[in-house]
Amino acid sequence: MTVDKTAVRDAATVIVLRDRMTTPSVLMGQRGAKAAFFPSKFVFPGGAVDADDAGVPLVTPLSELCRDRLLEASETDLSHALAAAAIRELWEETGLLLGEPGDWPGTPHPDWQSFADAGYLPSALGMQFFFRALTPPGRPRRFDARFFLVDAERIEGDLDDFSAASEELSHLQWVPLAEARALDLPFITEVVLAEIAACARDLTPPASIPFFKNNDEESLFLRLRGVAPVD
């Protein structure tokens, strides 16, 4: 079957924030010069949701508030698949792991085999839905990307060990937040960085989630608020 690569695909991106209370930095890498999407640009780890992500066991799911906000302006509940995709992409592209020690029930999907072999189950503990952006029409690839913010303290293992990373991103590094916007970035990444800078030291969920909705009819800037759970 031929895949229409110009169709909008759901995607998950991970913003890992380190030393947020002192000298915050974010994990970024550079895409290849021949990449169809954002060639040579510095980006956060992330990628498209795979069909099997929906069935991946999560030790801890996303918070109720995150799930509620992910449902807004969405036809189906993709919260579990998006969280799993974010964890998988972070592992594949950086070798950094969001999870808890444990054995997988059954045989993992091949995309998750190396994660399982490391002795961990994925966990969305501490992941915060932070931003959403739809790629404008006319681009070689289009994604409905949900950005998740997570504190580097949630990472298992050495934060500076990228030895298990794939070759999809090069020059993996912790970039000081104050210097990140000087890199060669996609426009939307610059916008996200500005949002992070405004709330890096605030541990409470934001009042609403920015959504850049670029569709065939018009470009809109929306705010996804969700409903905070009642204790």
Side-chain angles (χ1 to χ4, degrees), residues 7-204:
V8 177
R9 297 186 66 188
D10 291 298
T13 297
V14 189
I15 308 159
V16 187
L17 187 58
R18 186 176 186 177
D19 299 326
R20 63 188 305 168
M21 294 301 181
T22 53
T23 53
S25 59
V26 288
L27 180 60
M28 305 190 78
Q30 188 176 32
R31 291 183 58 78
K34 295 183 179 179
F37 193 69
F38 294 151
S40 300
K41 298 289 187 180
F42 277 87
V43 296
F44 305 113
V49 174
D50 289 343
D52 295 287
D53 289 330
V56 170
L58 294 178
V59 175
T60 304
L62 291 169
S63 70
E64 185 176 345
L65 179 58
C66 284
R67 295 197 303 271
D68 184 60
R69 287 174 167 177
L70 284 165
L71 280 169
E72 191 172 342
S74 297
E75 295 181 0
T76 56
D77 184 357
L78 296 173
S79 57
H80 184 103
L82 286 163
I87 296 167
R88 176 180 52 76
E89 289 288 340
L90 181 68
W91 169 248
E92 291 175 353
E93 294 186 352
T94 72
L96 299 185
L97 195 149
L98 283 170
E100 297 178 19
D103 297 324
W104 283 65
T107 303
H109 184 273
D111 288 345
W112 287 89
Q113 188 64 57
S114 62
F115 196 104
D117 289 345
Y120 285 86
L121 287 166
S123 172
L125 181 66
M127 288 176 58
Q128 178 182 296
F129 178 36
F130 186 77
F131 199 95
R132 182 177 175 183
L134 180 62
T135 308
R139 303 293 176 85
R141 300 285 189 276
R142 295 193 69 196
F143 296 100
D144 188 348
R146 284 74 157 189
F147 294 71
F148 294 92
L149 182 69
V150 64
D151 196 293
E153 292 182 357
R154 298 293 185 184
I155 300 291
E156 294 287 337
D158 186 350
L159 291 174
D160 298 303
D161 181 6
F162 305 123
S163 60
S166 67
E167 297 180 354
E168 188 166 347
L169 293 179
S170 62
H171 301 98
L172 285 165
Q173 59 190 284
W174 293 99
V175 183
L177 192 56
E179 302 172 14
R181 295 175 74 183
L183 297 173
D184 186 8
L185 306 169
F187 166 73
I188 199 64
T189 306
E190 292 191 47
V191 177
V192 174
L193 283 167
E195 291 282 332
I196 299 169
C199 64
R201 294 176 174 85
D202 187 354
L203 299 179
T204 59

